[in-house]
Structure formats: C-alpha cells, structure tokens
Amino acid sequence: MLLSYLKIAWKVLLRRKFFTAISLFGISFTLMILLVLVAVVDHFSGAHAPEKRIDQMAFVNSIRERFKDGGSNNMPVSAYFIDKYVRTLKTPELVALTSITNAATSFANNQTLTLDVRYTDANFWRLMDFEFLDGRPFSAAETDQRSRVCVINQHTARTYFGTEKGVAGRTLEIGPYTYRITGVVPDVPVMRLYSSSDVWVPYTLSNEMFGDQRLEGAFIAIMLAPSASQVPAMRKEFEQMAKRIPLPDPQRFDKLSVHADPALASVVRQLTQSQEKESDGMELFLSVCGGLALLFMLLPALNLVNLNVTRILERSSEIGVRKAFGASRRVLVGQFLVENIVLALLGGMLGLGLAAVVLYILNESQFIAYSHFGLSWSAFAVGLGLTLVFGLMSGVYPAWKMARLNPVTALRGSGAGPL
C-alpha cells in the first residue's frame, strides 16, 4: 500500500511541476537559512578548538560603575581586579585573563600588514586547548619578567616566513618593538571572541597594564570550572563575591555591577544592556529565538496549505472519478498526506544541499577570517522533523476537504459541497 502511495505521489509531483517547484523552494530555503544560522551560532559558542571546554567556562567581560548624578562607566576589568577578586575564588579550577584584540602594524616582504594582537597570561595557554604546530607557549616567568615574546598563528607564520615549522626562536617586528617567537598555533576563527588573534603577547607588556588599584581596565577574566555541572556554583560564588566589592569612589558612584557568564550569555548581556540585572537574559533570548524560528518554519507550512487547497480545486475532476470508481476516503487522504511527506523530504534534502553549498562558499571566501563552518546534523534532524510535522499539518485540512468532495459535484469541476 505504501509503495503504491509513493508511486502515485511521485507521478503527481512530476506532473504538477509548478506546484512542486514553489513548495520545494519554500521548504528548502527555510531549512537552508535555519542550518546556516545554527552553524554560525555553533561556530561562536560551540565546543571547538581551542575552546574545547567552553561549557566549563565563564567570562567576566566588563564592570559597570553607576554615577550618582546619572550615567555609568562600563569597561573591561583590570589585572588588579582579576588578581584580587577572581583568582581568590575557590570553585574555579583555573583563572586566566585576556584582552580584546588590538590592531598593530607590521612589515613583511616589503609590505605593510595589520595584525590582531591579544594580551594574555600563562594560564591562558593552560585553559585553552591550543595545538602547537611549532614551539611552545610563553611561560609565567616570561610574563612576569615582561619578556618581549609572542605566539603567532599559522597564517602569520606563513606570511612572514613561508612556513609554520622552524619558526620558534625567530623574531618578529610589530610596531616599534621586536618580539621573539616562542610558538606557532593553528588559525582561530575571529568569531571565537575570547581566543582568536594573529599574535598573542604577555599582558604585562600592555600599555593598559595599570600599576594602581583601579577596577576597570582592558582585560577579560576567564574562569574554568572543574566540570560543566559546577559552572552554576562557580557563577554563584562570583556573584556573592561581587556584592562585597567596595565602591572605588563612594562620592562619585552609587552602584557597582559585574557578572560572570557563559560565552553566549556574556554577549547577550552586553547586547541587552542588562549589566545591572542578575539575570543574564538568556531565557528571554532563547524564547524569542525559538518563537522566531517557529514562525519562520510556519511560513512554508502556510504556503503549502494554500497551494494544497488550490491543487484540490484543480484536481476535483480527478478526485470525482476516483471516488466514482470506489476509492475510499482513507485511500484518498493517505495518498494526499504521502504526497506532502514526499515533498517535505525532497525539500529537506534540497535544503541540506543548499546549506552545504552556502557554508562552503563562506569558508572558501574567508568572509569571516579563518572561519570553517560545518553542518549541524542535529539541527538538520530537528529541522527536517519540523518540516515533516508541518508538512503533515499542512495536508490535514486539504486532505479532509478532498475526501469529503461530492463525486457528482467534483466531476463537474467544482470543489464545493461536502458529502
């Protein structure tokens, strides 16, 4: 029975090429957009090298000081803040610091190059899971001694030296300074906001490395919990500690706000300007994204409903003949639902192919530097499942209407009049 349904459905879809093309376009385009968006989000917050343990991390992006006379001061934190308050916490297994990348000018092969430079400490290399193609990370001793050393990425090594092997120990000029290269690591996509760079140098060389006790600065604290299950406890301990931090200048400020959030939540908090709230806004963010995704998936379903109803009216004579020759409602409904399922499956496979092509183009074009987007098979499974569900839903009413057509009325070419 199912095989006969499939054969009939295939013949009908081939015969009605315009309807099939429009429906396939709606389904495949929707699924393609969904898969590309999921790949982008996963590229940013998924567990990929060097942030393989990102589900165990929490980030302190900024500290907000609210002025008594209105307004606020929102900046990254200082090395002093990290040393005095963050490194003293008991839950984190490891605490590292990093800066936002800064552009610096360098010269290679008679050309001027702009490199992204990130300031880090020795713990950064223990917390992140970098694979060293050559050499090693700079050490805590080199950091404390303010040695002019650096780690460079693969692209920089090839640009300057033509290879990433045998580069450790050589020198590199960045701005007015010369640095000794200690190691070379693979390129990190720029969407990895807390680890990507062209060059990494000790944070003690930063011009923003203040010697005073101010809380705001130019760094981001990264905390690593012993396991993903202990991240909430780590965040809770940080929040309790943050409440005990004295105001730096009670005459000017009346409130201090600082939070430790997972990677995606830290960005959501910044975008929603919710630094003064305890909630990171992820529940609302995920609810809105889920609602938009659901509405987005409903579009092809509604399109299918309209197309299916129109198709019924066009096929009323055919339906009337089949009913006159004894076709039951069950057979007609089954046939119509199978047609929708076949259409949804075809659209899903086409959407998968289109998403693969779009991601391949993005990777090859390097529109996002060092990017390597990959298809999420779990997202494809969910998207295809939703497509099938909506395909069935979009076929229920048209199938019911088709099965109730009066044979005599249908043979006259009209879709009105239930039995």
Side-chain angles (χ1 to χ4, degrees), residues 290-329:
L292 291 175
L294 187 61
L295 289 174
F296 191 65
M297 293 296 292
L298 277 173
L299 291 177
L302 294 176
N303 181 47
L304 276 177
V305 170
N306 292 329
L307 289 173
N308 287 337
V309 171
T310 302
R311 183 167 54 144
I312 284 176
L313 299 178
E314 294 176 352
R315 296 173 62 187
S316 58
S317 297
E318 172 195 336
I319 295 166
V321 170
R322 294 196 62 190
K323 294 193 75 172
F325 278 89
S328 66
R329 291 182 181 178

Short mmCIF file of all heavy atoms in Angstrom, two decimals, residues 290-329:
data_model
loop_
_atom_site.label_atom_id
_atom_site.label_comp_id
_atom_site.label_asym_id
_atom_site.label_seq_id
_atom_site.Cartn_x
_atom_site.Cartn_y
_atom_site.Cartn_z
N GLY A 290 13.47 31.00 19.72
CA GLY A 290 12.62 29.84 19.45
C GLY A 290 11.32 30.23 18.79
O GLY A 290 10.86 29.57 17.85
N GLY A 291 10.72 31.34 19.27
CA GLY A 291 9.47 31.81 18.67
C GLY A 291 9.66 32.25 17.23
O GLY A 291 8.85 31.93 16.35
N LEU A 292 10.77 32.97 16.98
CA LEU A 292 11.04 33.41 15.60
C LEU A 292 11.31 32.22 14.68
O LEU A 292 10.86 32.20 13.54
CB LEU A 292 12.24 34.36 15.59
CG LEU A 292 12.02 35.73 16.24
CD1 LEU A 292 13.33 36.52 16.26
CD2 LEU A 292 10.95 36.52 15.49
N ALA A 293 12.05 31.23 15.20
CA ALA A 293 12.33 30.04 14.40
C ALA A 293 11.04 29.29 14.07
O ALA A 293 10.85 28.80 12.95
CB ALA A 293 13.30 29.12 15.15
N LEU A 294 10.15 29.21 15.07
CA LEU A 294 8.87 28.52 14.85
C LEU A 294 8.04 29.25 13.80
O LEU A 294 7.47 28.63 12.90
CB LEU A 294 8.10 28.41 16.16
CG LEU A 294 6.81 27.58 16.14
CD1 LEU A 294 7.12 26.13 15.77
CD2 LEU A 294 6.11 27.64 17.49
N LEU A 295 7.98 30.58 13.92
CA LEU A 295 7.23 31.37 12.94
C LEU A 295 7.86 31.23 11.55
O LEU A 295 7.16 31.14 10.54
CB LEU A 295 7.21 32.84 13.35
CG LEU A 295 6.34 33.19 14.56
CD1 LEU A 295 6.52 34.65 14.94
CD2 LEU A 295 4.87 32.90 14.28
N PHE A 296 9.18 31.19 11.52
CA PHE A 296 9.89 31.06 10.26
C PHE A 296 9.57 29.72 9.60
O PHE A 296 9.40 29.63 8.38
CB PHE A 296 11.38 31.21 10.51
CG PHE A 296 12.20 31.36 9.26
CD1 PHE A 296 12.05 32.47 8.44
CD2 PHE A 296 13.12 30.40 8.90
CE1 PHE A 296 12.80 32.61 7.29
CE2 PHE A 296 13.88 30.53 7.75
CZ PHE A 296 13.72 31.65 6.95
N MET A 297 9.50 28.66 10.43
CA MET A 297 9.17 27.34 9.89
C MET A 297 7.69 27.24 9.49
O MET A 297 7.32 26.42 8.66
CB MET A 297 9.50 26.27 10.92
CG MET A 297 10.99 26.10 11.21
SD MET A 297 11.93 25.55 9.78
CE MET A 297 11.31 23.88 9.57
N LEU A 298 6.86 28.07 10.10
CA LEU A 298 5.43 28.03 9.77
C LEU A 298 5.15 28.60 8.38
O LEU A 298 4.13 28.27 7.76
CB LEU A 298 4.62 28.81 10.81
CG LEU A 298 4.26 28.06 12.10
CD1 LEU A 298 3.63 29.02 13.09
CD2 LEU A 298 3.33 26.89 11.82
N LEU A 299 6.03 29.47 7.90
CA LEU A 299 5.79 30.10 6.60
C LEU A 299 5.62 29.09 5.47
O LEU A 299 4.66 29.17 4.70
CB LEU A 299 6.92 31.09 6.30
CG LEU A 299 6.97 32.34 7.17
CD1 LEU A 299 8.17 33.21 6.80
CD2 LEU A 299 5.69 33.15 7.03
N PRO A 300 6.56 28.13 5.33
CA PRO A 300 6.34 27.15 4.26
C PRO A 300 5.12 26.27 4.50
O PRO A 300 4.49 25.81 3.55
CB PRO A 300 7.63 26.31 4.27
CG PRO A 300 8.21 26.50 5.62
CD PRO A 300 7.85 27.89 6.01
N ALA A 301 4.77 26.05 5.80
CA ALA A 301 3.58 25.24 6.09
C ALA A 301 2.31 25.96 5.62
O ALA A 301 1.44 25.35 5.00
CB ALA A 301 3.51 24.95 7.59
N LEU A 302 2.22 27.25 5.90
CA LEU A 302 1.06 28.02 5.45
C LEU A 302 1.03 28.10 3.93
O LEU A 302 -0.04 28.06 3.32
CB LEU A 302 1.11 29.43 6.05
CG LEU A 302 0.97 29.50 7.58
CD1 LEU A 302 1.15 30.93 8.06
CD2 LEU A 302 -0.39 28.96 8.01
N ASN A 303 2.21 28.21 3.34
CA ASN A 303 2.29 28.22 1.88
C ASN A 303 1.78 26.92 1.30
O ASN A 303 1.05 26.90 0.30
CB ASN A 303 3.74 28.47 1.46
CG ASN A 303 3.89 28.53 -0.05
OD1 ASN A 303 3.14 29.20 -0.74
ND2 ASN A 303 4.89 27.82 -0.57
N LEU A 304 2.16 25.81 1.96
CA LEU A 304 1.70 24.50 1.49
C LEU A 304 0.19 24.37 1.61
O LEU A 304 -0.47 23.77 0.75
CB LEU A 304 2.39 23.39 2.28
CG LEU A 304 3.78 22.96 1.80
CD1 LEU A 304 4.34 21.91 2.74
CD2 LEU A 304 3.72 22.42 0.38
N VAL A 305 -0.39 24.88 2.71
CA VAL A 305 -1.84 24.81 2.88
C VAL A 305 -2.54 25.50 1.73
O VAL A 305 -3.48 24.95 1.11
CB VAL A 305 -2.25 25.44 4.23
CG1 VAL A 305 -3.78 25.57 4.30
CG2 VAL A 305 -1.77 24.58 5.39
N ASN A 306 -2.11 26.73 1.42
CA ASN A 306 -2.75 27.48 0.33
C ASN A 306 -2.58 26.76 -1.01
O ASN A 306 -3.53 26.66 -1.80
CB ASN A 306 -2.15 28.89 0.25
CG ASN A 306 -2.52 29.73 1.45
OD1 ASN A 306 -3.59 29.55 2.02
ND2 ASN A 306 -1.64 30.65 1.82
N LEU A 307 -1.37 26.28 -1.25
CA LEU A 307 -1.13 25.58 -2.51
C LEU A 307 -1.92 24.28 -2.59
O LEU A 307 -2.44 23.91 -3.65
CB LEU A 307 0.36 25.30 -2.67
CG LEU A 307 1.25 26.51 -2.95
CD1 LEU A 307 2.71 26.11 -2.90
CD2 LEU A 307 0.92 27.12 -4.31
N ASN A 308 -2.03 23.58 -1.46
CA ASN A 308 -2.76 22.32 -1.45
C ASN A 308 -4.25 22.52 -1.71
O ASN A 308 -4.89 21.74 -2.42
CB ASN A 308 -2.56 21.59 -0.12
CG ASN A 308 -1.18 21.00 -0.01
OD1 ASN A 308 -0.52 20.74 -1.00
ND2 ASN A 308 -0.72 20.79 1.21
N VAL A 309 -4.81 23.56 -1.10
CA VAL A 309 -6.24 23.84 -1.32
C VAL A 309 -6.47 24.18 -2.79
O VAL A 309 -7.44 23.72 -3.41
CB VAL A 309 -6.70 25.00 -0.42
CG1 VAL A 309 -8.11 25.44 -0.80
CG2 VAL A 309 -6.68 24.57 1.05
N THR A 310 -5.58 24.99 -3.36
CA THR A 310 -5.70 25.33 -4.78
C THR A 310 -5.57 24.08 -5.64
O THR A 310 -6.30 23.91 -6.62
CB THR A 310 -4.61 26.34 -5.17
OG1 THR A 310 -4.73 27.50 -4.35
CG2 THR A 310 -4.73 26.75 -6.63
N ARG A 311 -4.65 23.21 -5.25
CA ARG A 311 -4.43 21.98 -6.02
C ARG A 311 -5.67 21.08 -5.98
O ARG A 311 -6.00 20.40 -6.95
CB ARG A 311 -3.22 21.24 -5.47
CG ARG A 311 -2.89 19.98 -6.25
CD ARG A 311 -1.54 19.44 -5.89
NE ARG A 311 -1.38 19.23 -4.46
CZ ARG A 311 -0.68 18.22 -3.93
NH1 ARG A 311 -0.13 17.34 -4.73
NH2 ARG A 311 -0.56 18.11 -2.64
N ILE A 312 -6.37 21.08 -4.83
CA ILE A 312 -7.59 20.27 -4.72
C ILE A 312 -8.64 20.72 -5.73
O ILE A 312 -9.27 19.91 -6.41
CB ILE A 312 -8.16 20.35 -3.30
CG1 ILE A 312 -7.33 19.51 -2.35
CG2 ILE A 312 -9.61 19.87 -3.24
CD1 ILE A 312 -7.77 19.62 -0.92
N LEU A 313 -8.80 22.04 -5.79
CA LEU A 313 -9.80 22.57 -6.72
C LEU A 313 -9.45 22.22 -8.16
O LEU A 313 -10.33 21.95 -8.98
CB LEU A 313 -9.91 24.09 -6.55
CG LEU A 313 -10.35 24.57 -5.16
CD1 LEU A 313 -10.38 26.10 -5.10
CD2 LEU A 313 -11.72 23.99 -4.81
N GLU A 314 -8.13 22.20 -8.47
CA GLU A 314 -7.71 21.86 -9.82
C GLU A 314 -7.88 20.38 -10.10
O GLU A 314 -8.04 19.97 -11.25
CB GLU A 314 -6.23 22.25 -10.01
CG GLU A 314 -5.99 23.75 -9.97
CD GLU A 314 -4.51 24.09 -10.07
OE1 GLU A 314 -3.71 23.13 -10.03
OE2 GLU A 314 -4.17 25.28 -10.20
N ARG A 315 -7.83 19.55 -9.04
CA ARG A 315 -7.90 18.10 -9.22
C ARG A 315 -9.27 17.53 -8.87
O ARG A 315 -9.42 16.33 -8.67
CB ARG A 315 -6.84 17.43 -8.33
CG ARG A 315 -5.42 17.80 -8.70
CD ARG A 315 -4.42 17.26 -7.70
NE ARG A 315 -4.42 15.82 -7.62
CZ ARG A 315 -3.72 15.11 -6.73
NH1 ARG A 315 -2.99 15.75 -5.83
NH2 ARG A 315 -3.77 13.79 -6.72
N SER A 316 -10.27 18.40 -8.76
CA SER A 316 -11.59 17.93 -8.33
C SER A 316 -12.18 16.88 -9.28
O SER A 316 -12.79 15.90 -8.84
CB SER A 316 -12.55 19.12 -8.18
OG SER A 316 -12.66 19.83 -9.41
N SER A 317 -11.96 17.07 -10.58
CA SER A 317 -12.49 16.09 -11.55
C SER A 317 -11.82 14.73 -11.35
O SER A 317 -12.47 13.68 -11.37
CB SER A 317 -12.28 16.58 -12.97
OG SER A 317 -12.99 17.78 -13.20
N GLU A 318 -10.49 14.75 -11.17
CA GLU A 318 -9.75 13.51 -10.94
C GLU A 318 -10.25 12.81 -9.68
O GLU A 318 -10.43 11.58 -9.67
CB GLU A 318 -8.26 13.84 -10.82
CG GLU A 318 -7.39 12.65 -10.39
CD GLU A 318 -6.01 13.09 -9.93
OE1 GLU A 318 -5.55 14.17 -10.35
OE2 GLU A 318 -5.39 12.34 -9.15
N ILE A 319 -10.48 13.60 -8.63
CA ILE A 319 -10.94 13.03 -7.36
C ILE A 319 -12.33 12.43 -7.53
O ILE A 319 -12.64 11.35 -7.02
CB ILE A 319 -10.93 14.10 -6.26
CG1 ILE A 319 -9.50 14.57 -5.99
CG2 ILE A 319 -11.56 13.58 -4.97
CD1 ILE A 319 -9.41 15.84 -5.18
N GLY A 320 -13.18 13.16 -8.28
CA GLY A 320 -14.52 12.65 -8.52
C GLY A 320 -14.51 11.32 -9.25
O GLY A 320 -15.27 10.40 -8.90
N VAL A 321 -13.64 11.17 -10.26
CA VAL A 321 -13.54 9.91 -10.99
C VAL A 321 -13.09 8.79 -10.07
O VAL A 321 -13.65 7.68 -10.08
CB VAL A 321 -12.55 10.06 -12.18
CG1 VAL A 321 -12.26 8.69 -12.81
CG2 VAL A 321 -13.12 11.01 -13.22
N ARG A 322 -12.09 9.05 -9.23
CA ARG A 322 -11.56 8.03 -8.33
C ARG A 322 -12.62 7.61 -7.30
O ARG A 322 -12.75 6.42 -6.99
CB ARG A 322 -10.31 8.53 -7.62
CG ARG A 322 -9.14 8.77 -8.57
CD ARG A 322 -7.85 8.89 -7.83
NE ARG A 322 -7.54 7.65 -7.11
CZ ARG A 322 -6.57 7.52 -6.23
NH1 ARG A 322 -5.82 8.58 -5.92
NH2 ARG A 322 -6.34 6.38 -5.64
N LYS A 323 -13.40 8.57 -6.81
CA LYS A 323 -14.44 8.23 -5.85
C LYS A 323 -15.57 7.45 -6.53
O LYS A 323 -16.16 6.53 -5.95
CB LYS A 323 -15.00 9.49 -5.18
CG LYS A 323 -13.99 10.20 -4.30
CD LYS A 323 -14.63 11.24 -3.41
CE LYS A 323 -15.37 10.56 -2.26
NZ LYS A 323 -15.86 11.52 -1.27
N ALA A 324 -15.86 7.82 -7.79
CA ALA A 324 -16.90 7.11 -8.52
C ALA A 324 -16.52 5.66 -8.78
O ALA A 324 -17.38 4.77 -8.86
CB ALA A 324 -17.18 7.83 -9.85
N PHE A 325 -15.21 5.40 -8.89
CA PHE A 325 -14.74 4.03 -9.10
C PHE A 325 -14.42 3.31 -7.80
O PHE A 325 -13.77 2.28 -7.79
CB PHE A 325 -13.50 4.04 -10.00
CG PHE A 325 -13.84 4.13 -11.47
CD1 PHE A 325 -13.99 5.36 -12.09
CD2 PHE A 325 -14.03 2.98 -12.21
CE1 PHE A 325 -14.31 5.44 -13.43
CE2 PHE A 325 -14.35 3.05 -13.56
CZ PHE A 325 -14.49 4.29 -14.18
N GLY A 326 -14.86 3.90 -6.68
CA GLY A 326 -14.79 3.18 -5.41
C GLY A 326 -13.66 3.54 -4.49
O GLY A 326 -13.44 2.87 -3.46
N ALA A 327 -12.87 4.57 -4.79
CA ALA A 327 -11.78 4.96 -3.88
C ALA A 327 -12.36 5.48 -2.58
O ALA A 327 -13.24 6.34 -2.58
CB ALA A 327 -10.91 6.03 -4.54
N SER A 328 -11.90 4.95 -1.47
CA SER A 328 -12.42 5.35 -0.16
C SER A 328 -11.77 6.64 0.32
O SER A 328 -10.74 7.08 -0.20
CB SER A 328 -12.15 4.25 0.86
OG SER A 328 -10.76 4.09 1.08
N ARG A 329 -12.38 7.25 1.33
CA ARG A 329 -11.80 8.46 1.92
C ARG A 329 -10.41 8.17 2.47
O ARG A 329 -9.50 8.98 2.35
CB ARG A 329 -12.70 8.98 3.03
CG ARG A 329 -14.04 9.53 2.56
CD ARG A 329 -14.82 10.07 3.75
NE ARG A 329 -16.12 10.58 3.34
CZ ARG A 329 -17.02 11.08 4.19
NH1 ARG A 329 -16.73 11.12 5.48
NH2 ARG A 329 -18.17 11.53 3.75
#
